[in-house]
Amino acid sequence: MRQKYIVGNWKMNQSVSSLSSFFENLSIDETTCETWVSPQAMHIPRVLDAAQNIKKNFQVGAQNICEFDNGAYTGENSAESLKDLGATFTLIGHSERRHIFKEDHALLNRKIKHALKHDLTVIFCIGEQLEERKNGMTEAVLKYQLQEGLKDFPADKSLREKLIIAYEPVWAIGTGEVASPEQAQEAHHFIRKFITSDLDFQGDTVPLLYGGSVKPANAEGLLGQEDIDGALVGGASLKGEDFSALAQTASK
Ligand code: PGA
């Protein structure tokens, strides 16, 4: 059985005081899934500090990295510095990066390779928009995002093991409208098949996470699907008690 994951994407949320309350209400010592969070970069040391007593399976990552090593790139965060702070993974290609910050396929492909160079696990996010789903284009969109984003991904097995894919239908992110377990399973199954047959990954070992309005009340149905190995969670990951409930569901 593949390992399960609950990954919190805190986006541009969590203040110093809400972080303390997150940890006060966190109870994940008995859970067996991986529990990861990606705070705003400047909070990484604070989060690691607060997480010191967590026994296992807790990691902290970034929401984005700069594609360059270092130098005159005002306002960016380097993979090297994030790694120095204690980040072990980074999201790449979140729909907010694609749509608000206009990050294109080629840039995301460069960022993925750059993250690997710095030994960061990559959670590569893909997903269709509502119009695309309505027009029956979901699989074509996912295929294109995978082909372009993972183009020339190094063949090295240890690097291939650093890839996690998050399927996040754009219409379900932050909207409260969650994909049904069947819709999500269908997309995950397609992704697993495609990365195996066309991109030469050992698809049955790549963790595939679902993201988009996951909360304690709907997690069980999603996480029970054969090809869903966990969840990338925005809103419901901000409160310690909800995050803990999700981790407990993923550990069943
Ligand atoms: P949401 O966000 O859980 O608030 O829908 C998910 C995400 O953006 O990763």
Side-chain angles (χ1 to χ4, degrees):
M1 220 173 81
R2 285 182 297 267
Q3 176 63 264
K4 287 270 200 290
Y5 294 76
I6 294 296
V7 182
N9 171 14
W10 287 349
K11 311 191 181 187
M12 206 169 73
N13 296 304
Q14 296 290 43
S15 58
V16 170
S17 69
S18 65
L19 270 177
S20 323
S21 115
F22 176 88
F23 282 98
E24 273 159 27
N25 292 300
L26 188 69
S27 132
I28 55 171
D29 278 351
E30 303 304 317
T31 61
T32 54
C33 65
E34 289 289 320
T35 42
W36 296 6
V37 294
S38 49
Q40 299 183 68
M42 73 290 251
H43 287 317
I44 290 175
R46 188 180 297 276
V47 169
L48 280 172
D49 199 41
Q52 260 175 29
N53 295 328
I54 297 174
K55 308 270 183 309
K56 53 187 179 188
N57 300 348
F58 186 85
Q59 296 190 33
V60 177
Q63 299 171 11
N64 180 35
I65 55 167
C66 178
E67 66 168 306
F68 303 115
D69 265 326
N70 44 47
Y73 304 106
T74 303
E76 293 288 290
N77 289 316
S78 74
E80 189 183 15
S81 298
L82 290 161
K83 187 92 200 172
D84 279 349
L85 290 186
T88 57
F89 71 93
T90 182
L91 309 184
I92 300 281
H94 188 278
S95 91
E96 286 145 24
R97 300 297 320 169
R98 291 177 188 263
H99 299 118
I100 304 173
F101 298 100
K102 310 285 179 240
E103 297 196 353
D104 63 17
H105 301 288
L107 172 62
L108 300 178
N109 179 254
R110 293 196 297 276
K111 286 192 177 190
I112 287 175
K113 290 176 185 152
H114 190 70
L116 295 174
K117 184 174 135 196
H118 288 279
D119 197 32
L120 289 166
T121 293
V122 169
I123 302 184
F124 180 45
C125 308
I126 59 174
E128 82 287 359
Q129 301 186 61
L130 187 57
E131 274 310 296
E132 294 166 334
R133 174 162 283 267
K134 281 189 184 154
N135 293 329
M137 288 163 60
T138 300
E139 291 191 354
V141 169
L142 298 179
K143 184 171 157 180
Y144 189 67
Q145 290 175 337
L146 289 166
Q147 261 167 349
E148 296 300 305
L150 302 177
K151 196 178 258 174
D152 302 324
F153 196 100
D156 188 306
K157 185 166 175 285
S158 65
L159 292 177
R160 292 202 159 219
E161 284 170 357
K162 288 198 157 291
L163 176 70
I164 295 175
I165 296 172
Y167 167 63
E168 298 204 300
V170 178
W171 48 271
I173 297 178
T175 58
E177 194 182 334
V178 63
S180 70
E182 294 72 28
Q183 285 173 322
Q185 163 59 23
E186 197 181 10
H188 280 234
H189 186 67
F190 172 77
I191 293 166
R192 204 179 289 291
K193 243 179 34 201
F194 181 73
I195 58 171
T196 308
S197 59
D198 286 59
L199 303 182
D200 245 4
F201 279 85
Q202 211 186 320
D204 57 346
T205 63
V206 176
L208 302 184
L209 317 183
Y210 168 79
S213 297
V214 176
K215 50 184 186 211
N218 60 27
E220 193 157 351
L222 290 159
L223 295 173
Q225 300 297 312
E226 189 180 337
D227 287 299
I228 302 185
D229 304 317
L232 177 57
V233 190
S237 73
L238 292 169
K239 295 216 164 91
E241 54 274 43
D242 290 343
F243 188 89
S244 308
L246 290 168
Q248 277 145 23
T249 301
S251 301
K252 278 184 188 161

